[in-house]
Amino acid sequence: MIPEASCDLGALMEPTSRIKRLRKRVVEAALTPPDSSEAALAAARSWLAHGGYPSHIWRRGRLAGDILRGLTPVIDEDELLVGKFSRRPLTAEEAEELANWRRYGEPATSKAYGQRAHMAIDYERVLREGIEGVLSQIARYRARLDTSRPDQQEQDFFYQGCEEALKGALDLSDKYADLAEQQAALSKSPRRAKELRAIAERCRKVPRKPAESFTEACQAVHFITFCMCAGNQMLLFQLGRPDRYLWPYYKRDLEAGKLTRTEALEYLDCLGFLLNEYTPRGLAVGYMVGGRDEWGNDVANELTYLALQSIHHTRLAYPGIGLCWTPDTPDELLELASRLLARGYSHPALFGDETISQGLARLGLPWRDACLYTHSTCVEITPIAISNVYVASPYYNLIQCLHDVLGVPPVGGQPDPEAPEIGSFEVLFERLRARIAQAVAQGTAENNMAMASRAQAGGFPLLSCFVNDCLALGKDIDQGGARANWLEASFVGLANLVDSLVAIRRLVFEDKKLTLKQLREALVADFEGYAEVQALLAGQPKYGNDEPEPDELARELTALLLAECEKHRSYWGDAVVPGFFCWIMHEQLGRQTLASPDGRRCGFPFADGSGPAQGREAKGPTAMVCSVTGWEHAPMIGGIAVNFKFQPTKDPDALVGQLHPVLKTFLAIGGFEAQVNVVRREELLDAQLHPELHRDLVVRVAGYSDYFVGLSPEMQAEVLMRSELNEG
Amino acid sequence: MNEKGIVFNIQRFSIHDGPGIRTTVFLKGCPLRCEWCHNPEGLEYAPQIRLAVNLCQLCGRCVAACERGCHEITEAGHQLHLESCVRCGACVEACLVGALELVGKEQSVEEVISVVARDKPFYEHSGGGMTLSGGEPLAQYEFSKALLGAARAEGLHTAIETSAMAPWEKLEKLAPLVDLWLVDLKHTDSARHKALCGVPNELILDNIRKLAATGWPMVLRVPWVPQRNAEESFLEGLKKFLPTLDPVPEVEFMLYHRLGNGKWLGLGGEPVMPDDIPNATAEDVLPWIEQLASGGVHSKTS
């Protein structure tokens, strides 16, 4: 670490005026989605111009290069890093040209099925070698080939495609340099002119050549990421681990007096803003910091702090920053994270580094790769620089699996004429297992078909240049060139399934208060006329309250799902890995699913992630943590998300004392991922209208804390009044 | 571990009853009857019925289940007539939605500690532990002692929240098991104390003096209730009493809030405090803090 007594990186730093101006513009720009029709037009022209070339892999490389060459560069006021989509509207002729292509040409091109992006490329290579370094490596590989052999001819096509794509990236970078020079010449502000000349210089140098300074490294990282998005026509590239790959540059420049912390932070802020500019809402892009390196050292450095500080500056949907926690993570760092979360910011998410690395090692990754992973968007884990992992592929509806066993159709379907005869809970559980096994086999087959089709007709040479070991093997990422080719499944509705099974076991098989037939009728009727059945179901023990019965079932079910996944392999022979997160699918799948035996109404969202279902956490966060860590997280590399909810305090820093130890304990006892919601007034109001959905809402009463919905109406009014004061 | 007591709540993730994240064990029964009590379900020693008004679906199952006419559903809602209640729990059994509850349950030390110990890692990361509260924990002295002993054996930090309304010998015997005393002081004037809390305060003041003199970690918690104990005579009394303590403990004002009022209704009673008494604010207490400070006593609001 570099000593600088005056700088407290744990205290929140205010943004510079440049950052404030940029943020204002980014927030306004967020209203209109990024426009990539220019890229679409360039793609159309490329397909038409090169349709007759003998290799589709080469064509796809050329396509990426042509798209990048077809983009109009744009540099806005105050920007330090450059590279984004122009918002230039197409001319009438261009629009017609594109429309004609979409109508007559595009349907005949090969479609890329399955997962796209959701990974971080080999940024270290970008910085260390530059594109020219990669090109000369490709030249060496090509020189070794004997193209009279068919397999090596294939490899040569791939390499040529890579060259085409990389040259497009170089051309675009040059265009940016030209534009920056033009703007510098016209700028009335000598200060901005100087910045623009520096931008031009950087764009001439990186990512063409190795980066030699922090600012060059930032530009190279951003620019190559933008090229990945534009050139491959896919979004959702993560930035990997900037506090590792930028660290040597940062340290060197800071020590040489060429960089200040404030400047470095401005660049990180700019990286964040640009992600917002070209990522549509509702997706998830970001990066990770912290964690351990392959030698067991905790990585946390000044850049780790600065990355968290930039959350306070950007306060936007992206980047989604993940902080990887180890027992050696400095307490001040977790405290800084807690301070941000206490303010109601939704970042950072906290990841249990040892749990995740352990899980990756179990999948057979060498330890070095197991220590270098990223959340691929939300919480699904994928190794950096080697990944062709299909995440959330697919999302499984666990409740519909149970419903299929009970003879309850999806929304809009016809119930089986007769309820199935199920004599014991054990029989029911076994039928459920068999149904899940069938679903997993089918989901795996569908994704393997996507991988197979991509092997035949896909190809992303630009991306393959930075995913190992594609270049070394001379194989595109779609041809199996990547080192990790897992399928990650995501099971949605774990808490609902656990709660449903507890209710069925107790009410149908133990207490015999219900028959399966009655239960099925009540579910199909969405409890209309069956209010008592719903109340009975709702009154059973729920997952998330540290109760032995549901927690034991959660253990059994998660183990079962892992075992079912382990029976399968991906198209490229790699593992099928379970996960338990949902992105927005708890809502979508919930909408397609009738009422469930946990008391959930038809169409209502499933539990949001791996924690308890909405409103069922009635014993506070510590009991919730005991429940959700009651099953093993490490093998669930497909992702686990646990939502924590806290009531905001007048002074956000006062909340840190609660957040910090809860999060730390969760991570220390094997928790995979924690995200924090600090509850706002709107939720209190909604809790009054729908108390059943907010049983977990804890409020400070004074002298003690209590559950909001358990308070009398008068007390609720009091708390609400106070919350108004709090937020005023 | 065979000791048993009446517990009315085990509140995990308590963050206001001592340092760190704590589990507070609420013991039933209290010798005081403070008008402003915000835990009225802790006053009686025996278990009692409580209704969560907003969860009640007015289905009437409890009316049918109760042989003594304790429940009535009228247009005004669910009415409680608990004078004749024998705490049989039939209504609780009958309620499908969990709106009725028998507050207070006999539990063994082992049962309580097994819940408390679940959050051990949270205590370790936050400096927390177990707090006994109530009601008045000293009113279930043997049980409290056994609980504290068991918590100590688990290596937990222990705190006790008490009115100190008990013979000194009991406090003295508990002391080796208590890491932090949270002692309420509701008035310095005995007549006023009796008027507001139902009992005189000589024993309490005497215990506080002795507790202070032992040097055991203690926080004096002073409820500040407008139109009740928030009066000149109490402030003057504090100014005289506190400096006589040696050493002077930490003093914390607890601001009155009306939130306890609604709880009485769920227990079939009427709140003692009129609705028009406003909540206390930190600003209200500021002059008290300043005046105490000028006499060399440090205090703060909770």
Side-chain angles (χ1 to χ4, degrees):
Chain A
M1 293 287 275
I2 297 126
E4 190 184 292
S6 63
C7 193
D8 177 8
L9 289 166
L12 290 184
M13 295 158 75
E14 286 314 304
T16 62
S17 56
R18 176 204 307 276
I19 293 306
K20 285 181 189 156
R21 289 193 300 272
L22 276 172
R23 180 170 190 278
K24 199 164 162 243
R25 257 216 318 280
V26 172
V27 171
E28 281 162 15
L31 297 173
T32 43
D35 178 10
S36 53
S37 45
E38 220 181 42
L41 180 68
R45 289 174 176 169
S46 182
W47 277 118
L48 286 172
H50 305 291
Y53 201 87
S55 157
H56 80 271
I57 287 283
W58 179 90
R59 277 206 303 272
R60 286 188 166 268
R62 178 69 198 225
L63 174 73
D66 284 343
I67 290 173
L68 296 177
R69 265 186 294 270
L71 295 178
T72 307
V74 48
I75 302 174
D76 283 323
E77 196 56 30
D78 283 320
E79 282 181 340
L80 295 170
L81 298 174
V82 298
K84 60 183 179 185
F85 290 111
S86 76
R87 290 176 191 267
R88 177 180 83 82
L90 296 184
T91 65
E93 294 85 57
E94 285 173 336
E96 197 193 334
E97 188 185 344
L98 184 59
N100 278 333
W101 160 255
R102 287 197 165 138
R103 187 159 170 206
Y104 301 114
E106 195 169 35
T109 60
S110 54
K111 189 173 180 303
Y113 296 94
Q115 177 77 77
R116 291 161 156 252
H118 288 80
M119 68 177 79
I121 60 165
D122 189 350
Y123 285 104
E124 280 179 33
R125 176 173 213 162
V126 175
L127 298 176
R128 194 178 58 233
E129 298 178 17
I131 288 178
E132 285 185 353
V134 177
L135 280 169
S136 46
Q137 176 72 56
I138 291 173
R140 284 195 295 278
Y141 285 137
R142 286 190 68 193
R144 281 187 222 154
L145 295 178
D146 173 1
T147 49
S148 67
R149 287 177 47 178
D151 59 328
Q152 300 200 12
Q153 177 63 68
E154 276 302 312
Q155 293 179 337
D156 199 45
F157 280 138
F158 164 68
Y159 286 131
Q160 288 180 50
C162 293
E163 288 171 345
E164 290 289 346
L166 292 173
K167 282 176 192 160
L170 292 179
D171 289 348
L172 182 62
S173 193
D174 278 340
K175 269 194 186 176
Y176 269 93
D178 295 343
L179 177 66
E181 275 162 14
Q182 287 161 23
Q183 288 192 359
L186 295 172
S187 176
K188 291 188 182 98
S189 149
R191 197 178 142 189
R192 180 61 183 159
K194 195 176 158 209
E195 282 172 8
L196 285 161
R197 281 195 298 275
I199 288 171
E201 228 173 90
R202 279 200 289 274
C203 289
R204 294 258 181 253
K205 184 168 172 189
V206 294
R208 179 183 291 275
K209 293 181 185 303
E212 289 180 296
S213 69
F214 179 78
T215 55
E216 284 172 9
C218 288
Q219 171 63 25
V221 164
H222 166 67
F223 196 81
I224 203 76
T225 309
F226 174 66
C227 288
M228 288 298 144
C229 293
N232 292 308
Q233 295 177 289
M234 42 166 100
L235 297 162
L236 304 179
F237 285 97
Q238 310 296 311
L239 295 185
R241 300 296 190 106
D243 63 341
R244 299 188 191 192
Y245 58 68
L246 292 178
W247 174 245
Y249 305 93
Y250 172 84
K251 187 166 176 277
R252 204 185 308 145
D253 288 1
L254 209 66
E255 280 170 348
K258 288 193 213 157
L259 181 76
T260 66
R261 289 181 177 83
T262 313
E263 284 166 356
L265 184 48
E266 270 196 324
Y267 277 83
L268 292 181
D269 294 344
C270 286
L271 267 181
F273 287 142
L274 283 162
L275 286 180
N276 277 279
E277 281 222 35
Y278 61 75
T279 311
R281 283 179 175 193
L283 303 175
V285 171
Y287 54 83
M288 269 186 166
V289 292
R292 272 193 215 287
D293 67 17
E294 61 190 294
W295 311 110
N297 302 310
D298 190 85
V299 167
N301 57 36
E302 291 193 3
L303 276 175
T304 319
Y305 284 86
L306 291 181
L308 295 191
Q309 292 278 0
S310 91
I311 293 171
H312 180 51
H313 293 181
T314 50
R315 288 178 285 127
L316 293 164
Y318 317 119
I321 295 180
L323 172 61
C324 301
W325 182 89
T326 79
D328 293 336
T329 299
D331 252 355
E332 300 78 52
L333 189 60
L334 188 57
E335 233 175 85
L336 174 59
S338 308
R339 208 167 296 147
L340 295 162
L341 294 166
R343 286 180 149 65
Y345 303 160
S346 55
H347 310 301
L350 300 158
F351 289 84
D353 188 68
E354 298 196 326
T355 305
I356 292 171
S357 290
Q358 211 185 83
L360 288 168
R362 276 201 207 184
L363 285 168
L365 281 193
W367 190 244
R368 184 189 177 280
D369 291 334
C371 295
L372 194 64
Y373 58 85
T374 185
H375 51 336
S376 88
T377 45
C378 305
V379 295
E380 335 78 88
I381 297 301
T382 188
I384 287 173
I386 59 169
S387 169
N388 179 41
V389 173
Y390 284 24
V391 308
S393 297
Y395 289 102
Y396 292 98
N397 181 340
L398 286 175
I399 285 295
Q400 191 56 51
C401 288
L402 175 64
H403 278 180
D404 291 346
V405 172
L406 298 176
V408 177
V411 169
Q414 283 301 315
D416 297 348
E418 270 177 50
E421 294 284 326
I422 300 175
S424 71
F425 183 73
E426 289 64 37
V427 170
L428 177 104
F429 198 84
E430 172 50 29
R431 289 200 193 166
L432 174 67
R433 191 205 59 73
R435 176 66 192 96
I436 288 171
Q438 190 188 12
V440 172
Q442 190 187 341
T444 305
E446 282 166 10
N447 278 281
N448 280 343
M449 193 202 74
M451 280 185 167
S453 80
R454 294 259 288 264
Q456 297 302 314
F460 292 98
L462 177 60
L463 173 58
S464 303
C465 291
F466 301 99
V467 176
N468 303 313
D469 302 306
C470 293
L471 285 183
L473 297 173
K475 275 187 186 175
D476 190 271
I477 186 169
D478 276 352
Q479 296 171 322
R483 222 179 290 162
N485 297 280
W486 314 321
L487 288 180
E488 291 184 350
S490 204
F491 295 99
V492 180
L494 174 67
N496 304 89
L497 182 58
V498 170
D499 293 348
S500 293
L501 290 174
V502 170
I504 293 175
R505 177 157 64 190
R506 287 185 159 226
L507 297 174
V508 177
F509 295 108
E510 285 173 10
D511 301 348
K512 303 203 189 316
K513 287 187 181 169
L514 272 180
T515 64
L516 273 184
K517 187 163 176 288
Q518 286 169 324
L519 175 66
R520 193 172 81 134
E521 283 164 5
L523 298 181
V524 171
D526 192 21
F527 303 120
E528 292 298 336
Y530 294 86
E532 283 173 16
V533 174
Q534 190 191 11
L536 265 177
L537 295 169
Q540 302 310 306
K542 304 295 184 198
Y543 170 68
N545 296 296
D546 195 18
E547 297 205 38
E549 197 179 338
D551 291 1
E552 179 56 38
L553 259 173
R555 258 190 300 281
E556 271 178 60
L557 280 169
T558 50
L560 180 160
L561 292 164
L562 175 63
E564 287 306 327
C565 285
E566 283 175 340
K567 289 178 182 166
H568 299 277
R569 306 304 285 176
S570 76
Y571 181 76
W572 298 110
D574 274 358
V576 176
V577 190
F580 297 88
F581 84 102
C582 51
W583 179 41
I584 56 168
M585 297 306 287
H586 60 307
E587 198 277 329
Q588 290 199 14
L589 296 177
R591 206 174 335 132
Q592 301 160 11
T593 310
L594 292 182
S596 39
D598 55 339
R600 174 193 142 277
R601 298 286 304 259
C602 170
F604 191 79
F606 294 133
D608 52 356
S610 327
Q614 294 84 344
R616 293 182 190 162
E617 175 197 334
K619 287 190 187 161
T622 61
M624 190 270 272
V625 166
C626 291
S627 272
V628 299
T629 55
W631 45 282
E632 214 193 346
H633 287 192
M636 314 307 182
I637 286 301
I640 287 175
V642 179
N643 266 316
F644 289 77
K645 288 180 198 155
F646 287 86
Q647 167 81 359
T649 47
K650 192 172 178 183
D651 168 16
D653 286 343
L655 195 56
V656 173
Q658 298 176 34
L659 280 173
H660 183 249
V662 169
L663 296 172
K664 188 172 170 181
T665 307
F666 170 76
L667 295 163
I669 62 179
F672 192 107
E673 190 255 10
Q675 47 202 37
V676 175
N677 296 292
V678 172
V679 188
R680 302 273 150 216
R681 180 178 161 74
E682 299 81 74
E683 188 174 353
L684 296 177
L685 290 171
D686 197 54
Q688 285 188 311
L689 292 175
H690 310 288
E692 72 280 6
L693 306 181
H694 296 274
R695 281 176 197 258
D696 51 350
L697 185 55
V698 182
V699 290
R700 165 96 158 106
V701 176
Y704 79 115
S705 289
D706 211 341
Y707 291 96
F708 184 76
V709 300
L711 301 177
S712 67
E714 297 82 5
M715 287 166 91
Q716 292 185 349
E718 286 279 354
V719 171
L720 260 168
M721 247 172 66
R722 223 174 23 182
S723 83
E724 254 174 347
L725 295 176
N726 270 356
E727 289 178 32
Chain B
M1 299 294 257
N2 296 324
E3 228 81 42
K4 286 189 171 179
I6 310 286
V7 177
F8 72 88
N9 193 9
I10 302 179
Q11 174 96 50
R12 294 168 73 166
F13 194 62
S14 269
I15 42 178
H16 312 297
D17 301 320
I21 291 173
R22 314 188 68 81
T23 297
T24 302
V25 181
F26 291 88
L27 304 185
K28 226 161 147 18
C30 183
L32 273 63
R33 284 294 178 272
C34 309
E35 287 184 23
W36 54 80
C37 182
H38 64 235
N39 278 342
E41 71 273 40
L43 293 176
E44 281 189 38
Y45 288 87
Q48 61 198 115
I49 296 295
R50 177 164 68 179
L51 167 70
V53 180
N54 57 341
L55 293 180
C56 175
Q57 306 287 310
L58 305 176
C59 70
R61 280 166 188 272
C62 51
V63 179
C66 181
E67 292 174 356
R68 300 177 156 260
C70 296
H71 299 274
E72 188 189 2
I73 307 294
T74 69
E75 291 200 345
H78 188 154
Q79 310 293 320
L80 293 172
H81 310 289
L82 297 178
E83 308 75 30
S84 51
C85 174
V86 293
R87 283 100 168 167
C88 67
C91 57
V92 177
E93 280 286 302
C95 181
L96 286 179
V97 296
L100 284 168
E101 167 190 18
L102 203 52
V103 183
K105 196 176 143 195
E106 191 177 64
Q107 286 190 285
S108 70
V109 171
E110 199 174 349
E111 283 172 305
V112 174
I113 290 295
S114 71
V115 176
V116 173
R118 294 290 295 166
D119 282 350
K120 238 177 168 177
F122 295 92
Y123 309 147
E124 277 159 21
H125 285 129
S126 67
M130 180 185 81
T131 299
L132 292 189
S133 183
E136 168 53 62
L138 294 176
Q140 295 191 43
Y141 167 73
E142 291 297 337
F143 185 52
S144 290
K145 193 173 156 202
L147 281 174
L148 290 165
R152 186 49 73 78
E154 287 280 341
L156 306 185
H157 178 277
T158 55
I160 185 167
E161 199 185 12
T162 175
S163 64
M165 184 70 192
W168 168 248
E169 295 69 45
K170 289 190 174 175
L171 278 72
E172 199 178 23
K173 279 187 190 149
L174 285 188
L177 304 172
V178 176
D179 293 312
L180 176 65
W181 291 82
L182 304 164
V183 182
D184 283 3
L185 175 54
K186 299 167 206 256
H187 211 296
T188 43
D189 180 87
S190 190
R192 285 294 287 150
H193 197 280
K194 186 163 189 337
L196 294 168
C197 304
V199 295
N201 72 358
E202 282 81 4
L203 178 60
I204 292 172
L205 294 183
D206 197 42
N207 280 338
I208 290 175
R209 256 185 231 108
K210 286 177 178 159
L211 272 170
T214 59
W216 299 327
M218 167 166 66
V219 178
L220 266 187
R221 308 227 279 188
V222 180
W224 197 93
V225 188
Q227 299 173 38
R228 293 297 181 269
N229 71 349
E231 56 192 7
E232 197 58 28
S233 67
F234 187 25
L235 175 58
E236 290 307 315
L238 284 173
K239 280 157 72 178
K240 279 196 206 105
F241 176 70
L242 294 174
T244 66
L245 300 177
D246 183 25
V248 182
E250 217 177 293
V251 177
E252 225 178 82
F253 285 103
M254 318 285 285
L255 303 177
Y256 170 73
H257 59 80
R258 288 181 297 201
L259 304 182
N261 293 5
K263 278 192 181 179
W264 290 92
L265 300 172
L267 296 165
E270 288 293 328
V272 185
M273 293 288 278
D275 273 346
D276 56 359
I277 297 189
N279 285 348
T281 68
E283 288 72 36
D284 293 339
V285 186
L286 210 55
W288 286 49
I289 292 177
E290 283 164 3
Q291 289 214 33
L292 289 180
S294 65
V297 175
H298 175 73
S299 63
K300 60 176 187 181
T301 49
S302 60

